[in-house]
Amino acid sequence: MIEIKGLHKSYVTGNNKLHVLKGLDLVIEQGELVSVMGSSGSGKSTLLNVLGILDSYDVGSYKLNDTIMSNLTEKKAAYFRNNMIGFVFQSFNLISFKNAMENVALPLYYQGVGRKKRNKIALDYLDKMGIKDWAEHMPNELSGGQKQRVAIARAMISNPKVILADEPTGALDSATSLEVMDLFREINKSGITIIIVTHEKDISEKTNRIIHLTDGIIESDIILKN
Ligand code: ADP
Ligand code: MG
């Protein structure tokens, strides 16, 4: 479902050019559970942002479901982001003045789904994530693990084909991190492709494939027997 060939990306700021992704080749099939590892600055988030059509690339190609992701109109890019991709971030990115249910329902609000209907669907997803009882609570009343479950429910509500998670356990203690990884494994069983950026080895070992980025190059790509 994801096919990258000879992908390069640089950031240009003023007169400086920083070459971040230096020729990546990568195929990820529907239903895979993949981690991307590498030290800080190796280009993990840049790669994830390109995969999520949040950022462009310079050279090479990126195909998502056989469609080439370059020169898309903003409308088409939004279509792919909204219908194919769910995002999860280290810092949860919840809206502080909306309760858990409203946060989960937000993507449906943007799709024009009415309040009653979207809140009902949001409750179903909170239930699937095991935190239905917290639906009426505000983000600052939730633990880190609960906040990440809300964020995962929000990523799931638009039925994505792939979830992109950038250091989703980076702000969690190790026990909670493993619970969140169990949740990702469970979600992956339903056929959703999941790509998790992490620099923690024990997190990557919960996935089925570890891609190691070093200085913008894929240094290794290992299938695990999990
Ligand atoms: P990682 O997620 O592996 O830590 P990133 O992909 O975030 O690495 O960053 C790779 C390099 O690109 C770093 O040197 C970072 O400072 C730089 N970088 C990231 N985003 C930008 C940007 N928007 N503009 C300029 N440089 C950036
Ligand atoms: Mg990063």
Side-chain angles (χ1 to χ4, degrees), residues 59-75:
V59 178
S61 63
Y62 166 32
K63 281 189 198 164
L64 178 60
N65 263 8
D66 293 323
T67 307
I68 186 125
M69 295 294 127
S70 66
N71 296 318
L72 296 178
T73 60
E74 189 40 49
K75 197 173 164 197

Side-chain angles (χ1 to χ4, degrees), residues 200-219:
E200 294 164 85
K201 190 160 177 284
D202 51 339
I203 296 300
S204 69
E205 284 166 352
K206 288 279 178 179
T207 69
N208 299 332
R209 176 179 174 189
I210 305 179
I211 293 165
H212 215 110
L213 271 189
T214 302
D215 199 16
I217 285 171
I218 294 177
E219 189 182 43

Side-chain angles (χ1 to χ4, degrees), residues 18-193:
L18 185 66
H19 196 178
V20 177
L21 301 179
K22 301 175 181 167
L24 304 185
D25 296 298
L26 181 62
V27 173
I28 295 175
E29 306 287 356
Q30 176 78 48
E32 284 202 67
L33 174 57
V34 181
S35 53
V36 177
M37 287 198 79
S39 52
S40 179
S42 57
K44 304 182 298 296
S45 295
T46 302
L47 173 61
L48 212 67
N49 290 345
V50 169
L51 292 177
I53 327 170
L54 295 174
D55 207 346
S56 59
Y57 54 93
D58 307 323
V59 178
S61 63
Y62 166 32
K63 281 189 198 164
L64 178 60
N65 263 8
D66 293 323
T67 307
I68 186 125
M69 295 294 127
S70 66
N71 296 318
L72 296 178
T73 60
E74 189 40 49
K75 197 173 164 197
K76 258 202 143 168
Y79 172 84
F80 278 102
R81 278 195 299 265
N82 297 337
N83 293 283
M84 292 285 296
I85 301 166
F87 289 96
V88 177
F89 302 95
Q90 173 172 359
S91 51
F92 320 120
N93 291 12
L94 301 179
I95 295 181
S96 61
F97 53 86
K98 292 193 178 293
N99 69 31
M101 176 181 68
E102 292 162 342
N103 267 283
V104 174
L106 208 60
L108 298 184
Y109 166 79
Y110 289 115
Q111 290 172 27
V113 178
R115 192 160 73 103
K116 214 170 161 188
K117 187 173 175 194
R118 66 175 188 260
N119 284 345
K120 184 178 176 297
I121 299 171
L123 267 185
D124 285 344
Y125 276 92
L126 284 173
D127 197 14
K128 285 181 194 165
M129 303 302 138
I131 48 166
K132 194 180 180 189
D133 291 347
W134 294 84
E136 309 274 332
H137 286 256
M138 304 304 274
N140 68 2
E141 298 166 333
L142 304 175
S143 69
Q146 289 168 334
K147 280 190 247 196
Q148 201 55 301
R149 283 167 192 271
V150 172
I152 294 169
R154 180 184 56 189
M156 294 282 293
I157 202 167
S158 46
N159 253 320
K161 299 277 181 292
V162 53
I163 289 186
L164 304 174
D166 198 349
E167 313 245 10
T169 62
L172 307 176
D173 62 64
S174 49
T176 309
S177 295
L178 293 179
E179 283 172 27
V180 165
M181 287 309 294
D182 285 340
L183 184 56
F184 278 127
R185 290 189 66 82
E186 205 52 46
I187 291 168
N188 173 250
K189 279 189 194 146
S190 69
I192 298 179
T193 310

